[in-house]
Amino acid sequence: MKNFKTISAVDSEKLIAEQQPMILDCRDLKDYRAGHIDNAMHVHEQLRDSLLKKADKAKPLLIYCYYGHASEHLAEMFGDFGFQQVYSMAGGYSDWKEQHKL
């Protein structure tokens, strides 16, 4: 049983507006620097480990990557560590850019 939900870029935008989730970008640093969702943090090993240990597990968490595949693995990990509202963005930053005409 999945311990995270996969949601579209449109639903991700609603989630951001309504619940102000923590947003994690799991793409390469170069691509993160080239453009990312506002307030997204670039996930690197230290940040991931720190969040798994210390972050508020009740706060919604939205994770995205390039196209929505790698983010599912990271979302599953956070769900396994007890995070209660974990979302992976289907289509990733690619769909987000298309939706926002970036």
Side-chain angles (χ1 to χ4, degrees):
M1 182 171 143
K2 283 194 332 186
N3 48 16
F4 67 93
K5 293 180 182 172
T6 301
I7 60 174
S8 68
V10 171
D11 289 338
S12 295
E13 187 167 27
K14 290 177 192 169
L15 178 73
I16 292 167
E18 295 170 5
Q19 298 187 41
Q20 295 82 46
M22 184 177 351
I23 307 170
L24 302 180
D25 182 326
C26 61
R27 299 175 301 145
D28 292 335
L29 182 58
K30 176 179 109 310
D31 292 310
Y32 171 82
R33 286 182 174 156
H36 56 270
I37 296 173
D38 288 345
N39 300 315
M41 295 182 285
H42 179 255
V43 178
H44 50 79
E45 192 174 336
Q46 283 181 306
L47 175 63
R48 182 199 65 207
D49 292 350
S50 176
L51 291 173
L52 287 171
K53 292 175 188 171
K54 300 175 184 174
D56 179 358
K57 294 182 179 183
K59 183 171 177 65
L61 177 61
L62 174 64
I63 304 171
Y64 68 93
C65 58
Y66 295 99
Y67 301 106
H69 304 295
S71 59
E72 288 187 342
H73 299 291
L74 194 57
E76 185 172 22
M77 178 185 294
F78 276 91
D80 286 347
F81 272 80
F83 285 76
Q84 299 162 15
Q85 299 178 67
V86 183
Y87 302 90
S88 174
M89 186 189 313
Y93 193 67
S94 175
D95 278 7
W96 181 269
K97 279 180 26 181
E98 188 173 309
Q99 176 185 321
H100 292 89
K101 308 291 186 237
L102 299 176

